Amino acid sequence: MAERASQLIAQLRSIVGRRHVLTSAASTARYRKGYRTGDGPAVAVVRPGSLVDMWRAAQACVAADMSIILQASNTGLTGGSTPDGADYPGGLVIISTTRLEKLQVIQGGEQVVCLPGTTLYSLERALRPYGREPHSVIGSSCLGASVVGGVCNNSGGSLIRRGPAYTQLALFAQVQNDGTLRLVNHLGIALGDDPETMLVRLEKGDFSPQDINPAADSWAHDHSYAEHVRDIESATPARFNADPRCLFEAAGSAGKLIVFAVRLDTFPAEADTTTFYIGTSQPDRLTELRRSILRDFDELPIAGEYMHRTCFDVADTYGRDMFFAIERLGTDRLPALFAAKARFDAMAERIPFTTAALSDRIMQWSSRLIPDHLPPSMRRYRDRFEHHLILKVPAHMANATRALLDQIVPQSTDSGYFECTPKEAAKAFLHRFVAAGAAIRYRAVHADSVEDIVALDVALPRNNREWVEQLPPELEEATIHRLYYGHFFCQVFHQDYIVKKGVDPIAFEHALWDLLDQRDAQYPAEHNVGHLYVARPELEKFYRHIDPRNQLNPGIGQTSRQRGWADGESRA
């Protein structure tokens, strides 16, 4: 094993260069440890600088019978792009794609071709001159997430009309049963037949408009989602990770294919919008609002983001520095900040008697020096109401929306709304999106009282009216805080439970699963199953089909890790 690993490392260094093959525990730590969960050893982390280098590195790993994890920005919440333990067949190599951040705008800006390391931020920036925007424009982009990662992981995003990230147009490599690697070009762009020639041409953008097939029969986004989400009487959720309607080659592949590029539609940017901030202590009012808009309005809103008051408070205290960094520095600098934080943590771990999560503790302490970052209007609503909804609509929908709000959430002791200024709207959405990291910071700062975070990503049926969770007393007693936030019109909720020291988080999570099953919920909703969730039979069947040798991201969704799926029959 050691000799084979040593030979592979030498081969990888000859392909990508010595400095881009990382082997020490310190240098690989930021790639081996998940943003929220997941950790394990790796033989090496390889950082190819071209698509050809990525192809050759993957070929070398496949030939050496090494398990492979493809990783982009490592911003996932379920550990799906990082190791989980040390029992990977043949050892494990992580191929990081962050150096492959290139894209080509095609079809006059109506579509893009994104390479593996392209971030949502860079795509958003590239499309601005065209007056267009990508599938997701806020949220994950604030964390530097990748476009390809979003497609592979069924990412949902906050925009109601667009559904999960999805395409049927991709260029990818598939590991065959015989241990060889096959390149498949389903981009709808003629690039030739030789794999390396194809990859060179793609990376250089060496193709003409005549080489591009309009691909009218292939979707580059989920065309049916707007009508799908409107079916408010359906007993199934609008979007979830194991939904067969959105599993197609790269889409939903969760690292079981080596994806070199995806082709995606873009969307006209909403230049003139109105945002309403809604508060209530009666959740039925928000239910009525959601159902009325989806049923009766000719056009869907742009976004409808929910936040519970407890989540508001935790994000206020433990997400303040991230809010400040995004607002003052912009999202383009965040990847560098995360990298610097990871390097600091790696160095700190080597210093004896150093406090755990030192960088988080320092950042949390410094956040006390930041002045109040939220507008008084939001503060007042926090004090008055338990449930908060940020509703963004095109300006031409403002009057109809205002009339409906006057009817359903009139100004009273238990409800109300106000129309945001542009500055208030930006702050409201940013406050909502720093919530995802706030629980992690809380755990780092309060390690003496927190056992762990149990994070669920839940899709409720479209006909659901009882969306506020009611925990049994014994589960409620096991938590310090319960954070609820999500994409309200899609009925997709992120539910973070900060559990007390001494509580078994696995048993706690399994108890939650039982409750969700009773509610006909699907989970996860918009992140891949990672190593936290059990892949449902239809999802495991898909994984087995696209990775028959089980050499790519083996064990995802708590499935088999053995070559050829050898340790038992599929649950599918």
Side-chain angles (χ1 to χ4, degrees):
M1 170 70 179
E3 182 179 354
R4 181 166 56 86
S6 179
Q7 291 174 349
L8 177 61
I9 289 170
Q11 187 177 3
L12 293 172
R13 284 173 173 164
S14 71
I15 294 170
V16 304
R18 176 174 290 272
R19 66 187 294 253
H20 295 299
V21 179
L22 312 178
T23 57
S24 71
S27 65
T28 61
R30 59 176 291 213
Y31 303 92
R32 294 184 294 102
K33 296 181 180 180
Y35 173 68
R36 177 173 280 182
T37 186
D39 192 5
V43 171
V45 173
V46 186
R47 303 176 64 244
S50 71
L51 293 183
V52 169
D53 283 355
M54 181 173 161
W55 166 256
R56 291 174 178 172
Q59 281 185 311
C61 292
V62 170
D65 197 32
M66 191 73 60
S67 296
I68 304 169
I69 289 179
L70 273 292
Q71 183 186 96
S73 300
N74 192 13
T75 58
L77 303 183
T78 61
S81 59
T82 48
D84 182 55
D87 57 337
Y88 285 86
L92 177 69
V93 169
I94 299 170
I95 299 180
S96 169
T97 64
T98 54
R99 296 178 65 211
L100 300 172
E101 189 177 358
K102 289 185 179 180
L103 62 92
Q104 283 105 28
V105 180
I106 62 174
Q107 308 288 73
E110 293 186 2
Q111 288 189 328
V112 291
V113 175
C114 295
L115 271 56
T118 304
T119 63
L120 284 169
Y121 173 79
S122 62
L123 176 55
E124 190 176 343
R125 181 176 56 186
L127 291 175
R128 282 185 192 132
Y130 297 87
R132 301 185 72 84
E133 60 189 23
H135 168 270
S136 298
V137 296
I138 193 167
S140 296
S141 57
C142 294
L143 300 173
S146 75
V147 176
V148 170
V151 171
C152 294
N153 297 330
N154 298 110
S155 296
S158 64
L159 302 178
I160 299 168
R161 307 167 184 174
R162 299 179 191 173
Y166 178 76
T167 187
Q168 297 172 349
L169 300 166
L171 189 149
F172 56 89
Q174 185 176 37
V175 180
Q176 304 298 291
N177 271 319
D178 62 1
T180 59
L181 200 60
R182 180 173 71 101
L183 191 66
V184 179
N185 181 10
H186 287 169
L187 269 180
I189 300 175
L191 297 167
D193 299 315
D194 174 68
E196 294 197 1
T197 301
M198 294 164 64
L199 294 172
V200 169
R201 289 187 61 192
L202 176 62
E203 188 164 356
K204 290 182 177 180
D206 181 20
F207 49 85
S208 68
Q210 290 71 35
D211 292 323
I212 302 173
N213 185 328
D217 294 333
S218 297
W219 285 4
H221 81 277
D222 183 359
H223 291 240
S224 64
Y225 188 75
E227 289 306 312
H228 181 72
V229 75
R230 283 184 182 272
D231 187 1
I232 57 175
E233 301 306 331
S234 172
T236 62
R239 53 181 167 93
F240 56 97
N241 184 266
D243 189 351
R245 62 187 290 274
C246 290
L247 299 175
F248 186 89
E249 296 181 343
S253 58
K256 304 298 285 181
L257 295 172
I258 300 174
V259 181
F260 290 89
V262 294
R263 179 175 162 187
L264 297 164
D265 289 332
T266 68
F267 305 86
E270 298 280 358
D272 193 9
T273 63
T274 302
T275 298
F276 298 94
Y277 196 99
I278 303 157
T280 184
S281 298
Q282 300 294 327
D284 287 348
R285 292 184 182 271
L286 297 186
T287 303
E288 184 180 354
L289 179 66
R290 170 185 167 269
R291 291 176 61 87
S292 296
I293 289 177
L294 291 179
R295 181 186 60 232
D296 301 332
F297 277 30
D298 292 335
E299 189 175 346
L300 292 177
I302 298 168
E305 292 297 295
Y306 170 77
M307 198 176 202
H308 186 269
R309 178 159 53 195
T310 302
C311 187
F312 184 112
D313 291 345
V314 174
D316 183 16
T317 302
Y318 297 93
R320 180 173 294 205
D321 58 318
M322 183 58 66
F323 184 109
F324 182 82
I326 295 171
E327 188 176 53
R328 300 299 175 89
L329 301 178
T331 54
D332 57 328
R333 298 190 182 182
L334 284 189
L337 290 176
F338 278 118
K341 179 180 182 299
R343 288 193 294 270
F344 179 88
D345 287 338
M347 290 188 294
E349 286 180 0
R350 299 199 297 268
I351 302 173
F353 309 113
T354 301
T355 302
L358 181 60
S359 66
D360 283 290
R361 292 173 179 268
I362 293 172
M363 292 166 70
Q364 186 60 33
W365 178 87
S366 65
S367 70
R368 301 175 185 175
L369 306 177
I370 298 173
D372 192 0
H373 57 301
L374 296 179
S377 52
M378 288 177 62
R379 295 280 182 206
R380 289 193 293 270
Y381 268 52
R382 179 263 165 228
D383 292 340
R384 291 179 60 192
F385 305 119
E386 182 179 0
H387 305 283
H388 298 239
L389 181 67
I390 312 162
L391 180 60
K392 183 177 182 180
V393 301
H396 64 265
M397 286 179 59
N399 287 338
T401 304
R402 198 177 293 115
L404 185 63
L405 293 174
D406 286 339
Q407 175 186 339
I408 295 178
V409 286
Q411 300 296 336
S412 65
T413 57
D414 66 7
S415 69
Y417 74 91
F418 64 86
E419 197 165 327
C420 296
T421 65
K423 186 175 181 179
E424 286 174 328
K427 285 180 175 289
F429 277 109
L430 186 51
H431 183 57
R432 154 64 184 87
F433 286 113
V434 299
I440 301 170
R441 173 65 59 76
Y442 189 101
R443 177 180 62 183
V445 174
H446 299 285
D448 55 338
S449 60
V450 175
E451 185 66 34
D452 205 350
I453 301 167
V454 172
L456 295 181
D457 176 31
V458 176
L460 297 177
R462 282 166 282 173
N463 65 356
N464 173 76
R465 294 172 183 265
E466 304 297 330
W467 53 272
V468 178
E469 183 174 64
Q470 303 295 328
L471 286 183
E474 64 273 15
L475 293 182
E476 187 172 337
E477 176 62 26
T479 65
I480 299 172
H481 292 299
R482 300 178 302 282
L483 312 184
Y484 299 98
Y485 53 104
H487 315 306
F488 187 69
F489 283 75
C490 301
Q491 288 288 275
V492 167
F493 294 94
H494 303 288
Q495 303 179 178
D496 296 346
Y497 307 83
I498 303 175
V499 298
K500 295 177 180 178
K501 202 73 172 179
V503 172
D504 181 352
I506 302 299
F508 181 88
E509 182 170 11
H510 288 178
L512 293 174
W513 290 356
D514 290 341
L515 295 176
L516 291 172
D517 290 341
Q518 294 170 26
R519 301 171 69 191
D520 295 322
Q522 291 275 355
Y523 48 93
E526 59 178 7
H527 302 124
N528 79 37
V529 288
H531 297 288
L532 299 182
Y533 298 96
V534 176
R536 293 182 183 268
E538 56 271 30
L539 188 58
E540 182 178 335
K541 182 178 180 180
F542 175 65
Y543 290 160
R544 287 175 175 254
H545 172 69
I546 61 176
D547 182 19
R549 197 162 188 269
N550 199 23
Q551 193 165 352
L552 300 174
N553 211 0
I556 189 81
Q558 301 182 32
T559 59
S560 167
R561 293 199 177 184
Q562 300 307 309
R563 293 288 182 264
W565 306 85
D567 64 342
E569 293 298 320
S570 169
R571 289 187 300 271

